[in-house]
Coordinates of all heavy atoms in Angstrom, one line a residue:
M4 N 62.1 -30.9 -51.9 CA 61.9 -29.4 -51.6 C 61.9 -28.7 -53.0 O 62.6 -27.7 -53.2 CB 63.0 -28.9 -50.7 CG 62.9 -29.5 -49.3 SD 61.4 -29.0 -48.5 CE 61.8 -27.4 -47.9
F5 N 61.0 -29.1 -53.9 CA 61.0 -28.5 -55.2 C 60.4 -27.1 -55.2 O 60.9 -26.2 -55.7 CB 60.1 -29.4 -56.1 CG 60.0 -28.9 -57.6 CD1 61.2 -28.8 -58.3 CD2 58.8 -28.4 -58.1 CE1 61.1 -28.3 -59.6 CE2 58.8 -28.0 -59.3 CZ 59.9 -27.9 -60.1
L6 N 59.3 -27.0 -54.4 CA 58.6 -25.6 -54.2 C 59.6 -24.6 -53.6 O 59.6 -23.5 -54.0 CB 57.4 -25.9 -53.4 CG 56.4 -24.7 -53.5 CD1 55.6 -24.8 -54.8 CD2 55.4 -24.8 -52.3
F7 N 60.3 -25.1 -52.6 CA 61.3 -24.2 -51.9 C 62.3 -23.6 -52.9 O 62.6 -22.5 -52.9 CB 62.0 -25.0 -50.8 CG 63.0 -24.1 -50.1 CD1 62.5 -23.2 -49.2 CD2 64.4 -24.3 -50.2 CE1 63.5 -22.4 -48.5 CE2 65.3 -23.5 -49.6 CZ 64.8 -22.6 -48.7
K8 N 62.7 -24.5 -53.8 CA 63.7 -24.1 -54.8 C 63.2 -23.0 -55.7 O 63.8 -22.0 -56.1 CB 64.2 -25.3 -55.7 CG 65.3 -26.0 -55.0 CD 65.9 -27.1 -56.0 CE 67.0 -27.9 -55.3 NZ 67.4 -29.0 -56.1
I9 N 61.9 -23.2 -56.1 CA 61.2 -22.2 -57.0 C 61.1 -20.9 -56.3 O 61.4 -19.8 -56.8 CB 59.8 -22.7 -57.4 CG1 60.0 -23.9 -58.4 CG2 59.0 -21.6 -58.0 CD1 58.7 -24.6 -58.7
V10 N 60.7 -20.9 -55.0 CA 60.6 -19.7 -54.2 C 61.9 -18.9 -54.1 O 62.0 -17.7 -54.3 CB 60.0 -20.0 -52.8 CG1 60.1 -18.8 -51.9 CG2 58.6 -20.5 -52.9
V11 N 63.0 -19.7 -53.9 CA 64.3 -19.1 -53.8 C 64.8 -18.5 -55.1 O 65.3 -17.4 -55.2 CB 65.4 -20.2 -53.3 CG1 66.8 -19.7 -53.4 CG2 65.1 -20.6 -51.8
A12 N 64.5 -19.3 -56.2 CA 64.8 -18.8 -57.6 C 64.1 -17.5 -57.9 O 64.7 -16.6 -58.4 CB 64.5 -19.8 -58.6
I13 N 62.8 -17.4 -57.5 CA 62.1 -16.2 -57.8 C 62.6 -15.1 -56.9 O 62.8 -13.9 -57.4 CB 60.6 -16.4 -57.5 CG1 60.0 -17.4 -58.5 CG2 59.8 -15.1 -57.4 CD1 58.5 -17.9 -58.2
A14 N 62.9 -15.3 -55.7 CA 63.5 -14.3 -54.8 C 64.8 -13.8 -55.4 O 65.0 -12.6 -55.3 CB 63.7 -14.9 -53.4
I15 N 65.7 -14.7 -55.8 CA 67.0 -14.2 -56.4 C 66.8 -13.4 -57.6 O 67.3 -12.4 -57.8 CB 67.9 -15.5 -56.6 CG1 68.3 -16.1 -55.3 CG2 69.0 -15.1 -57.5 CD1 69.0 -17.4 -55.4
A16 N 65.8 -13.9 -58.5 CA 65.6 -13.2 -59.8 C 65.1 -11.8 -59.4 O 65.5 -10.8 -60.0 CB 64.5 -13.9 -60.6
F17 N 64.2 -11.7 -58.5 CA 63.6 -10.4 -58.0 C 64.7 -9.5 -57.6 O 64.8 -8.3 -57.9 CB 62.6 -10.6 -57.0 CG 61.7 -9.4 -56.7 CD1 60.7 -9.0 -57.6 CD2 61.9 -8.7 -55.5 CE1 60.0 -7.9 -57.3 CE2 61.2 -7.6 -55.2 CZ 60.2 -7.2 -56.1
L18 N 65.6 -10.0 -56.8 CA 66.7 -9.3 -56.2 C 67.6 -8.7 -57.3 O 68.0 -7.6 -57.3 CB 67.6 -10.1 -55.2 CG 68.4 -9.4 -54.2 CD1 67.5 -8.8 -53.2 CD2 69.4 -10.4 -53.6
I19 N 67.9 -9.6 -58.3 CA 68.8 -9.2 -59.4 C 68.1 -8.1 -60.2 O 68.8 -7.1 -60.6 CB 69.1 -10.4 -60.4 CG1 70.0 -11.4 -59.6 CG2 69.7 -9.9 -61.7 CD1 70.2 -12.7 -60.3
I20 N 66.8 -8.2 -60.4 CA 66.1 -7.1 -61.2 C 66.2 -5.8 -60.4 O 66.5 -4.7 -60.9 CB 64.7 -7.5 -61.4 CG1 64.6 -8.6 -62.5 CG2 63.8 -6.3 -61.9 CD1 63.3 -9.4 -62.6
K21 N 66.0 -5.9 -59.1 CA 66.1 -4.7 -58.2 C 67.4 -4.0 -58.3 O 67.5 -2.8 -58.4 CB 65.8 -5.1 -56.7 CG 64.3 -5.2 -56.4 CD 63.8 -3.9 -55.8 CE 62.4 -4.1 -55.4 NZ 61.8 -2.8 -54.9
I22 N 68.5 -4.9 -58.3 CA 69.8 -4.3 -58.3 C 70.1 -3.7 -59.7 O 70.6 -2.6 -59.8 CB 70.9 -5.4 -58.0 CG1 70.8 -5.8 -56.5 CG2 72.3 -5.0 -58.4 CD1 71.5 -7.2 -56.2
G23 N 69.6 -4.4 -60.7 CA 69.7 -3.9 -62.1 C 69.1 -2.5 -62.3 O 69.7 -1.6 -62.8
V24 N 67.9 -2.4 -61.8 CA 67.2 -1.1 -61.9 C 67.9 0.0 -61.1 O 68.0 1.1 -61.5 CB 65.7 -1.3 -61.4 CG1 65.0 0.1 -61.1 CG2 64.9 -2.2 -62.3
F25 N 68.4 -0.4 -59.9 CA 69.1 0.6 -59.1 C 70.4 1.1 -59.8 O 70.6 2.3 -59.8 CB 69.5 -0.1 -57.8 CG 70.3 0.8 -56.9 CD1 69.7 1.8 -56.1 CD2 71.7 0.7 -56.7 CE1 70.4 2.6 -55.3 CE2 72.4 1.5 -55.9 CZ 71.8 2.5 -55.2
I26 N 71.1 0.1 -60.4 CA 72.3 0.5 -61.2 C 72.0 1.4 -62.4 O 72.6 2.5 -62.6 CB 73.1 -0.7 -61.7 CG1 73.7 -1.4 -60.4 CG2 74.2 -0.3 -62.7 CD1 74.2 -2.8 -60.7
L27 N 70.9 1.1 -63.1 CA 70.5 1.8 -64.3 C 70.1 3.3 -63.8 O 70.4 4.3 -64.4 CB 69.3 1.2 -64.9 CG 69.7 0.1 -65.9 CD1 68.4 -0.5 -66.5 CD2 70.5 0.6 -67.0
K28 N 69.3 3.3 -62.7 CA 68.9 4.6 -62.2 C 70.1 5.5 -61.8 O 70.1 6.7 -62.0 CB 68.0 4.4 -61.0 CG 66.5 4.2 -61.4 CD 65.6 4.3 -60.2 CE 64.2 4.0 -60.6 NZ 63.3 3.8 -59.5
S29 N 71.1 4.9 -61.1 CA 72.3 5.7 -60.7 C 73.1 6.1 -61.9 O 73.8 7.1 -61.8 CB 73.1 4.9 -59.6 OG 73.5 3.7 -60.2
L30 N 73.1 5.3 -63.0 CA 73.9 5.6 -64.1 C 73.2 6.8 -64.9 O 73.9 7.6 -65.4 CB 74.0 4.4 -65.1 CG 75.1 3.4 -64.6 CD1 75.1 2.2 -65.6 CD2 76.5 4.0 -64.6
A31 N 71.9 6.7 -65.1 CA 71.2 7.7 -65.9 C 71.2 9.0 -65.1 O 70.6 9.0 -64.1 CB 69.8 7.2 -66.2
T32 N 71.7 10.0 -65.7 CA 71.6 11.3 -65.1 C 70.2 11.9 -65.3 O 69.8 11.9 -66.5 CB 72.7 12.3 -65.7 OG1 72.6 12.2 -67.1 CG2 74.1 12.0 -65.2
P33 N 69.6 12.2 -64.3 CA 68.2 12.7 -64.5 C 68.1 14.0 -65.2 O 69.0 14.9 -65.0 CB 67.7 12.8 -63.0 CG 68.9 13.0 -62.2 CD 70.0 12.3 -62.9
P34 N 67.2 14.1 -66.2 CA 67.1 15.4 -66.9 C 66.7 16.5 -65.9 O 66.0 16.2 -64.9 CB 66.0 15.1 -67.9 CG 65.2 14.0 -67.4 CD 66.2 13.2 -66.5
P35 N 67.1 17.7 -66.2 CA 66.7 18.8 -65.3 C 65.2 19.0 -65.2 O 64.5 18.8 -66.2 CB 67.4 20.1 -65.9 CG 67.7 19.7 -67.3 CD 68.0 18.2 -67.3
E36 N 64.7 19.3 -64.0 CA 63.3 19.5 -63.9 C 62.8 20.6 -64.7 O 63.4 21.7 -64.7 CB 63.0 19.8 -62.4 CG 63.2 18.6 -61.5 CD 61.9 17.7 -61.4 OE1 60.8 18.3 -61.4 OE2 62.1 16.5 -61.4
P37 N 61.8 20.4 -65.5 CA 61.3 21.6 -66.3 C 60.6 22.6 -65.3 O 60.0 22.2 -64.3 CB 60.2 21.0 -67.2 CG 59.8 19.7 -66.5 CD 61.0 19.2 -65.7
P38 N 60.9 23.8 -65.5 CA 60.2 24.9 -64.7 C 58.7 24.9 -64.8 O 58.2 24.4 -65.9 CB 60.9 26.2 -65.1 CG 61.3 25.9 -66.5 CD 61.6 24.5 -66.6
P39 N 58.0 25.3 -63.8 CA 56.6 25.4 -64.0 C 56.2 26.2 -65.2 O 56.9 27.1 -65.6 CB 56.1 26.1 -62.7 CG 57.3 26.6 -62.1 CD 58.4 25.9 -62.5
P40 N 55.0 25.9 -65.9 CA 54.6 26.5 -67.1 C 54.7 28.1 -67.0 O 55.0 28.7 -68.0 CB 53.2 26.0 -67.4 CG 53.1 24.8 -66.6 CD 54.1 24.9 -65.4
G41 N 54.4 28.6 -65.8 CA 54.3 30.1 -65.7 C 55.7 30.7 -65.9 O 55.8 31.9 -66.3
E42 N 56.8 29.9 -65.6 CA 58.1 30.5 -65.8 C 58.7 30.3 -67.1 O 59.8 30.8 -67.4 CB 59.1 29.8 -64.7 CG 58.9 30.4 -63.4 CD 59.8 29.7 -62.3 OE1 60.9 29.3 -62.7 OE2 59.4 29.7 -61.2
L43 N 58.0 29.6 -68.0 CA 58.5 29.4 -69.3 C 58.3 30.6 -70.1 O 57.3 31.3 -70.1 CB 57.8 28.2 -70.0 CG 58.4 26.8 -69.7 CD1 57.5 25.8 -70.3 CD2 59.8 26.6 -70.2
R44 N 59.4 31.0 -70.9 CA 59.2 32.1 -71.8 C 58.6 31.7 -73.1 O 59.0 30.7 -73.6 CB 60.6 32.8 -72.0 CG 61.1 33.5 -70.8 CD 62.6 33.7 -71.0 NE 63.2 34.2 -69.8 CZ 63.3 35.4 -69.4 NH1 62.7 36.3 -70.1 NH2 63.8 35.7 -68.3
K45 N 57.7 32.5 -73.6 CA 57.2 32.3 -74.9 C 58.2 32.8 -75.9 O 58.6 34.0 -75.9 CB 55.9 33.1 -75.1 CG 54.7 32.4 -74.4 CD 53.8 31.8 -75.5 CE 52.6 31.1 -74.9 NZ 53.0 29.7 -74.4
V46 N 58.7 31.9 -76.7 CA 59.7 32.3 -77.7 C 59.2 31.8 -79.1 O 58.2 31.0 -79.1 CB 61.1 31.7 -77.4 CG1 61.7 32.2 -76.2 CG2 61.0 30.2 -77.4
K47 N 59.7 32.4 -80.0 CA 59.3 32.0 -81.4 C 60.6 31.9 -82.2 O 61.1 32.9 -82.8 CB 58.4 33.2 -82.0 CG 57.6 32.7 -83.2 CD 56.7 33.8 -83.6 CE 56.4 33.6 -85.1 NZ 55.8 34.8 -85.7
L48 N 61.2 30.7 -82.1 CA 62.5 30.5 -82.7 C 62.4 29.4 -83.7 O 61.6 28.5 -83.6 CB 63.5 30.1 -81.6 CG 63.8 31.2 -80.6 CD1 64.5 30.6 -79.4 CD2 64.7 32.3 -81.2
L49 N 63.1 29.6 -84.8 CA 63.1 28.6 -85.9 C 64.5 28.1 -86.0 O 65.5 28.9 -86.0 CB 62.6 29.3 -87.2 CG 62.0 28.4 -88.2 CD1 60.7 27.8 -87.6 CD2 61.6 29.2 -89.4
Y50 N 64.6 26.8 -86.1 CA 66.0 26.2 -86.3 C 65.9 25.3 -87.5 O 64.9 24.7 -87.8 CB 66.3 25.4 -85.0 CG 66.5 26.2 -83.8 CD1 65.4 26.3 -82.9 CD2 67.7 26.7 -83.5 CE1 65.6 27.0 -81.7 CE2 67.9 27.4 -82.3 CZ 66.8 27.6 -81.4 OH 67.0 28.3 -80.3
R51 N 67.1 25.3 -88.2 CA 67.2 24.4 -89.3 C 68.4 23.5 -89.1 O 69.4 23.9 -88.7 CB 67.3 25.2 -90.6 CG 67.5 24.3 -91.8 CD 67.8 25.0 -93.1 NE 66.5 25.7 -93.6 CZ 66.5 26.9 -94.0 NH1 67.5 27.6 -94.0 NH2 65.4 27.4 -94.5
C52 N 68.2 22.2 -89.5 CA 69.3 21.3 -89.5 C 70.1 21.5 -90.8 O 69.5 21.3 -91.9 CB 68.7 19.8 -89.4 SG 70.0 18.6 -89.5
E53 N 71.3 21.8 -90.6 CA 72.2 22.1 -91.8 C 72.4 20.8 -92.6 O 72.7 20.8 -93.8 CB 73.5 22.7 -91.4 CG 73.4 24.0 -90.7 CD 73.1 25.1 -91.7 OE1 74.1 25.6 -92.2 OE2 71.9 25.5 -91.8
L54 N 72.3 19.7 -91.9 CA 72.6 18.4 -92.6 C 71.5 17.8 -93.5 O 71.7 17.4 -94.6 CB 73.1 17.4 -91.6 CG 74.4 17.7 -90.9 CD1 74.7 16.8 -89.8 CD2 75.5 17.7 -91.9
C55 N 70.3 17.9 -92.9 CA 69.2 17.3 -93.6 C 68.1 18.3 -94.0 O 67.1 17.9 -94.7 CB 68.6 16.1 -92.9 SG 67.5 16.6 -91.5
G56 N 68.2 19.5 -93.5 CA 67.2 20.5 -93.9 C 65.9 20.6 -93.1 O 65.1 21.4 -93.4
A57 N 65.9 19.8 -92.0 CA 64.7 19.8 -91.2 C 64.6 21.1 -90.5 O 65.6 21.6 -90.0 CB 64.7 18.6 -90.2
E58 N 63.4 21.6 -90.3 CA 63.2 22.8 -89.6 C 62.3 22.6 -88.3 O 61.4 21.8 -88.4 CB 62.6 23.9 -90.4 CG 63.5 24.4 -91.5 CD 63.0 25.6 -92.3 OE1 61.9 26.1 -92.0 OE2 63.6 25.9 -93.3
V59 N 62.6 23.3 -87.3 CA 61.9 23.1 -86.0 C 61.6 24.5 -85.5 O 62.4 25.4 -85.5 CB 62.8 22.3 -85.0 CG1 62.3 22.5 -83.6 CG2 62.9 20.9 -85.4
R60 N 60.3 24.6 -85.0 CA 60.0 25.8 -84.3 C 59.9 25.6 -82.8 O 59.2 24.7 -82.3 CB 58.6 26.3 -84.8 CG 58.2 27.6 -84.2 CD 56.7 28.0 -84.5 NE 56.6 28.2 -86.0 CZ 56.9 29.4 -86.6 NH1 57.3 30.4 -85.8 NH2 56.8 29.6 -87.9
M61 N 60.5 26.5 -82.0 CA 60.5 26.4 -80.6 C 59.5 27.5 -80.1 O 59.6 28.6 -80.5 CB 61.9 26.6 -80.0 CG 62.0 26.2 -78.5 SD 63.6 26.5 -77.9 CE 64.5 25.1 -78.4
T62 N 58.6 27.1 -79.3 CA 57.5 28.0 -78.9 C 57.6 28.4 -77.5 O 57.1 29.4 -77.0 CB 56.1 27.4 -79.2 OG1 56.0 26.2 -78.5 CG2 55.9 27.2 -80.6
A63 N 58.3 27.6 -76.7 CA 58.5 27.9 -75.2 C 59.9 27.5 -74.8 O 60.3 26.4 -75.2 CB 57.4 27.3 -74.4
A64 N 60.5 28.2 -73.9 CA 61.8 27.9 -73.5 C 62.0 28.4 -72.1 O 61.4 29.3 -71.6 CB 62.9 28.4 -74.4
A65 N 63.0 27.8 -71.3 CA 63.2 28.2 -70.0 C 64.1 29.5 -70.0 O 64.0 30.3 -69.0 CB 64.0 27.1 -69.2
E66 N 64.8 29.8 -71.0 CA 65.6 31.0 -71.1 C 65.2 31.8 -72.4 O 64.6 31.2 -73.3 CB 67.1 30.7 -71.2 CG 67.6 29.6 -70.2 CD 68.8 28.9 -70.8 OE1 69.7 29.6 -71.3 OE2 68.8 27.7 -70.8
E67 N 65.7 33.0 -72.5 CA 65.5 33.8 -73.7 C 66.3 33.2 -74.8 O 65.8 33.3 -76.0 CB 65.8 35.2 -73.4 CG 64.9 36.2 -74.2 CD 64.9 37.6 -73.5 OE1 65.1 37.7 -72.3 OE2 64.7 38.5 -74.3
N68 N 67.5 32.9 -74.6 CA 68.3 32.3 -75.6 C 68.6 30.8 -75.3 O 69.7 30.5 -74.8 CB 69.6 33.1 -75.8 CG 69.4 34.5 -76.3 OD1 68.8 34.6 -77.4 ND2 69.8 35.5 -75.6
P69 N 67.7 30.0 -75.5 CA 67.9 28.5 -75.2 C 68.9 27.9 -76.2 O 69.2 28.4 -77.2 CB 66.5 27.9 -75.4 CG 65.9 28.8 -76.4 CD 66.4 30.2 -76.2
E70 N 69.5 26.8 -75.7 CA 70.4 26.1 -76.5 C 69.7 25.5 -77.7 O 68.6 25.0 -77.6 CB 71.1 24.9 -75.7 CG 72.3 25.3 -75.0 CD 73.0 24.1 -74.4 OE1 73.2 23.1 -75.1 OE2 73.2 24.1 -73.2
P71 N 70.3 25.6 -78.9 CA 69.6 25.0 -80.0 C 69.4 23.5 -79.9 O 70.2 22.8 -79.4 CB 70.5 25.4 -81.2 CG 71.9 25.6 -80.6 CD 71.6 26.1 -79.2
P72 N 68.3 23.0 -80.4 CA 68.1 21.6 -80.4 C 69.1 20.9 -81.3 O 69.7 21.5 -82.2 CB 66.6 21.4 -80.9 CG 66.4 22.7 -81.7 CD 67.2 23.8 -81.1
R73 N 69.1 19.6 -81.1 CA 70.1 18.8 -82.0 C 69.3 18.0 -83.0 O 68.2 17.5 -82.7 CB 70.9 17.9 -81.1 CG 72.1 18.7 -80.5 CD 72.7 17.9 -79.4 NE 73.7 18.7 -78.7 CZ 75.0 18.6 -79.0 NH1 75.5 17.7 -79.9 NH2 75.9 19.4 -78.4
H74 N 69.9 17.8 -84.1 CA 69.4 17.0 -85.2 C 70.5 16.4 -85.9 O 71.6 17.1 -86.1 CB 68.4 17.8 -86.1 CG 67.4 16.9 -86.8 ND1 67.7 16.4 -88.0 CD2 66.2 16.4 -86.4 CE1 66.6 15.6 -88.4 NE2 65.7 15.6 -87.4
C75 N 70.4 15.2 -86.3 CA 71.6 14.5 -87.0 C 72.8 14.7 -86.2 O 74.0 14.8 -86.8 CB 71.8 15.1 -88.4 SG 70.4 14.9 -89.5
M76 N 72.7 14.6 -84.9 CA 73.9 14.7 -84.0 C 74.6 16.1 -84.0 O 75.6 16.2 -83.4 CB 74.9 13.6 -84.2 CG 74.3 12.2 -84.4 SD 73.7 11.5 -82.8 CE 75.3 11.1 -82.1
E77 N 74.0 17.0 -84.6 CA 74.6 18.4 -84.7 C 73.6 19.4 -84.1 O 72.4 19.2 -84.2 CB 75.0 18.7 -86.1 CG 76.0 17.8 -86.7 CD 77.4 18.2 -86.2 OE1 77.6 19.3 -85.7 OE2 78.3 17.3 -86.4
D78 N 74.2 20.5 -83.6 CA 73.4 21.6 -83.2 C 72.6 22.2 -84.4 O 73.2 22.3 -85.5 CB 74.2 22.7 -82.5 CG 74.5 22.3 -81.1 OD1 74.1 21.3 -80.6 OD2 75.3 23.2 -80.5
M79 N 71.4 22.5 -84.2 CA 70.6 23.1 -85.4 C 71.0 24.6 -85.4 O 71.3 25.2 -84.4 CB 69.1 22.9 -85.2 CG 68.8 21.4 -85.2 SD 67.0 21.2 -85.0 CE 66.4 21.3 -86.7
E80 N 70.9 25.1 -86.6 CA 71.2 26.5 -86.9 C 70.0 27.4 -86.7 O 68.9 27.1 -87.2 CB 71.8 26.7 -88.3 CG 73.2 26.2 -88.5 CD 74.2 27.0 -87.7 OE1 74.1 28.2 -87.6 OE2 75.0 26.3 -87.1
P81 N 70.1 28.4 -85.8 CA 68.9 29.3 -85.7 C 68.7 30.1 -86.9 O 69.6 30.5 -87.6 CB 69.3 30.2 -84.5 CG 70.7 30.1 -84.4 CD 71.2 28.9 -85.0
I82 N 67.4 30.3 -87.3 CA 67.0 31.1 -88.5 C 66.4 32.4 -87.9 O 65.5 32.3 -87.1 CB 66.1 30.3 -89.3 CG1 66.7 29.0 -89.8 CG2 65.6 31.2 -90.6 CD1 65.7 28.1 -90.5
I83 N 66.9 33.5 -88.4 CA 66.2 34.8 -88.1 C 65.0 34.9 -88.9 O 65.0 34.9 -90.1 CB 67.2 36.0 -88.2 CG1 68.2 36.0 -87.1 CG2 66.4 37.3 -88.2 CD1 69.5 35.2 -87.4
E84 N 63.8 35.0 -88.2 CA 62.6 35.0 -88.9 C 62.1 36.4 -89.0 O 62.1 37.2 -88.1 CB 61.5 34.2 -88.0 CG 60.6 33.5 -88.9 CD 59.6 32.7 -88.1 OE1 59.8 32.5 -86.8 OE2 58.5 32.4 -88.6
E85 N 61.7 36.7 -90.3 CA 61.2 38.1 -90.5 C 59.7 38.1 -90.1 O 58.9 37.2 -90.5 CB 61.4 38.5 -91.9 CG 62.7 39.2 -92.1 CD 63.5 38.6 -93.3 OE1 63.3 39.0 -94.4 OE2 64.4 37.8 -93.0
E86 N 59.3 39.1 -89.4 CA 57.9 39.2 -88.9 C 57.0 39.6 -90.1 O 57.3 40.5 -90.9 CB 57.8 40.2 -87.8 CG 58.5 39.8 -86.5 CD 57.8 38.7 -85.8 OE1 56.5 38.7 -85.7 OE2 58.4 37.7 -85.5
Ligands
LIG13 ZN1 68.9 16.6 -89.5

């Protein structure tokens, strides 16, 4: 019954993968759903990483004062931009 053993092995492997994916899915907290594009606020924010000097411009956000992005494991510093 060599073929039977292969079928059983494949079935078990499949089951293990299914369980693994299920565990991973339940562990990973799903990111919040992005709001529809119409609800996004147009913002013009500039952030600088104090540690490495990288700068990032945020052009759209869900809120008027969004949380600063992170870089080098630290919150980036907002830069007040002169118009
Ligand atoms: Zn950085």
Side-chain angles (χ1 to χ4, degrees):
M4 292 299 277
F5 182 66
L6 199 73
F7 179 75
K8 276 186 180 176
I9 290 174
V10 169
V11 169
I13 289 169
I15 289 169
F17 192 74
L18 201 73
I19 289 167
I20 290 165
K21 277 265 182 184
I22 291 166
V24 167
F25 178 78
I26 289 167
L27 279 178
K28 272 188 182 172
S29 59
L30 280 179
T32 46
E36 289 273 319
E42 280 180 30
L43 277 176
R44 288 165 192 275
K45 280 252 178 282
V46 293
K47 199 177 154 196
L48 296 164
L49 207 63
Y50 295 94
R51 179 186 283 133
C52 173
E53 297 283 278
L54 293 172
C55 75
E58 287 183 12
V59 164
R60 181 189 292 279
M61 194 182 281
T62 56
E66 316 152 49
E67 212 160 333
N68 289 305
E70 272 189 51
R73 278 163 187 264
H74 203 265
C75 298
M76 310 289 282
E77 294 284 340
D78 282 358
M79 295 180 88
E80 287 296 317
I82 300 167
I83 285 89
E84 216 182 339
E85 269 130 82
E86 293 288 315

